[in-house]
C-alpha cells in the first residue's frame, strides 16, 4: 500500500506494530488487497486500497452493510477513508482458505454436499436482498463475464484436483 495509507492504518488501529502482506491472489480489478496484522494483538484485518475507483468502493461498503444488517455473511467495515481518487477500507479478514481449497481436501461426501448447499443458500439469500441504492445495469455481457470468472477461478481448478 501507499505510505499515506499505511500511516492511516496505523492511526486507525492505534499501533505502529503492524505487518502488511499482499493477498496471494484475487480477481478484483483496480483494487489492492492486503492482510494487516496487528503484531501486539495478532488480530488480522483486510485492507482495501483503490485508486480511481471510488464509486465501486462506495458500493462495496453500502452492500456489505446491507448484507450484514440482513444477517448475511459479509465483511464488517471497521474503518473507511474516501476521497475523490482514493478509497481505503479496513474490514473483517475471513482468512486464506477458499471454498475451492476446502473442497479439494479429503472429506466425507456429505461434508462437500453441505458446503455446496450452504453456498447455494447464501447465494439465494443474497439475490433476494432489497438494496437501498441504485445498481447499474447488469447486462448479459456482464453476467457472461462473471460466469466465465467462476469457470476460470473455480470450476477448472476444482476439476484439475
Amino acid at each position: 500500500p501507499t505510505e499515506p495509507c499505511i500511516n492511516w492504518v496505523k492511526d486507525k488501529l492505534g499501533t505502529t506494530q503492524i505487518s502488511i502482506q499482499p493477498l496471494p491472489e484475487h480477481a478484483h480489478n483496480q483494487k489492492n488487497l492486503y492482510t494487516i496484522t496487528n503484531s501486539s494483538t495478532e488480530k488480522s484485518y483486510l485492507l482495501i486500497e483503490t485508486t480511481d475507483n471510488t464509486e465501486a468502493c462506495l458500493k462495496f461498503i453500502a452492500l456489505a452493510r446491507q448484507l450484514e444488517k440482513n444477517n448475511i455473511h459479509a465483511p464488517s467495515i471497521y474503518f473507511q477513508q474516501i476521497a475523490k481518487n482514493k478509497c481505503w477500507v479496513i474490514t473483517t479478514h475471513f482468512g486464506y482458505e477458499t471454498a475451492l481449497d476446502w473442497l479439494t481436501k479429503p472429506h466425507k461426501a456429505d461434508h462437500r454436499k453441505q458446503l455446496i448447499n450452504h453456498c447455494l443458500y447464501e447465494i439465494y439469500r443474497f439475490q433476494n436482498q432489497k438494496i437501498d441504492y441504485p445498481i447499474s445495469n447488469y447486462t448479459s455481457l456482464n453476467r457472461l463475464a462473471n460466469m466465465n470468472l467462476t469457470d476460470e477461478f473455480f470450476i477448472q481448478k476444482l476439476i484439475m484436483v
Side-chain angles (χ1 to χ4, degrees):
T2 61
E3 193 66 32
C5 182
I6 293 170
N7 291 332
W8 175 80
V9 167
K10 289 176 181 178
D11 178 59
K12 292 300 172 189
L13 296 182
T15 183
T16 58
Q17 303 299 312
I18 60 170
S19 163
I20 300 177
Q21 299 296 321
L23 220 54
E25 68 178 60
H26 56 86
H28 302 285
N29 295 327
Q30 300 175 328
K31 288 182 189 169
N32 296 308
L33 304 174
Y34 304 93
T35 297
I36 306 168
T37 305
N38 181 333
S39 301
S40 59
T41 64
E42 297 298 316
K43 183 155 175 67
S44 291
Y45 304 89
L46 180 68
L47 169 65
I48 304 168
E49 180 179 33
T50 65
T51 56
D52 299 325
N53 199 5
T54 305
E55 182 182 342
C57 197
L58 288 169
K59 286 181 180 181
F60 169 80
I61 292 166
L63 183 58
R65 288 195 170 133
Q66 181 75 35
L67 293 173
E68 189 174 41
K69 184 175 105 179
N70 291 323
N71 298 314
I72 293 179
H73 198 63
S76 295
I77 308 294
Y78 298 119
F79 303 101
Q80 63 190 41
Q81 175 70 41
I82 301 166
K84 184 176 181 180
N85 292 319
K86 68 178 178 190
C87 181
W88 303 328
V89 182
I90 298 175
T91 73
T92 306
H93 193 303
F94 291 135
Y96 293 105
E97 187 173 47
T98 65
L100 177 63
D101 293 335
W102 192 89
L103 285 169
T104 57
K105 292 179 182 178
H107 291 288
K108 295 179 183 174
D110 60 333
H111 289 161
R112 293 178 79 158
K113 184 178 178 184
Q114 287 173 0
L115 176 66
I116 291 171
N117 284 339
H118 171 74
C119 291
L120 291 173
Y121 179 67
E122 288 295 309
I123 290 168
Y124 168 78
R125 291 180 59 207
F126 176 82
Q127 290 175 337
N128 285 306
Q129 293 300 294
K130 302 292 184 217
I131 306 299
D132 294 337
Y133 62 89
I135 298 175
S136 58
N137 276 347
Y138 192 63
T139 67
S140 59
L141 290 175
N142 296 125
R143 190 169 45 253
L144 185 59
N146 284 333
M147 289 169 63
N148 287 336
L149 286 175
T150 300
D151 183 50
E152 177 182 342
F153 286 97
F154 183 76
I155 296 173
Q156 290 299 324
K157 290 180 181 179
L158 182 61
I159 290 173
M160 299 300 271
V161 174

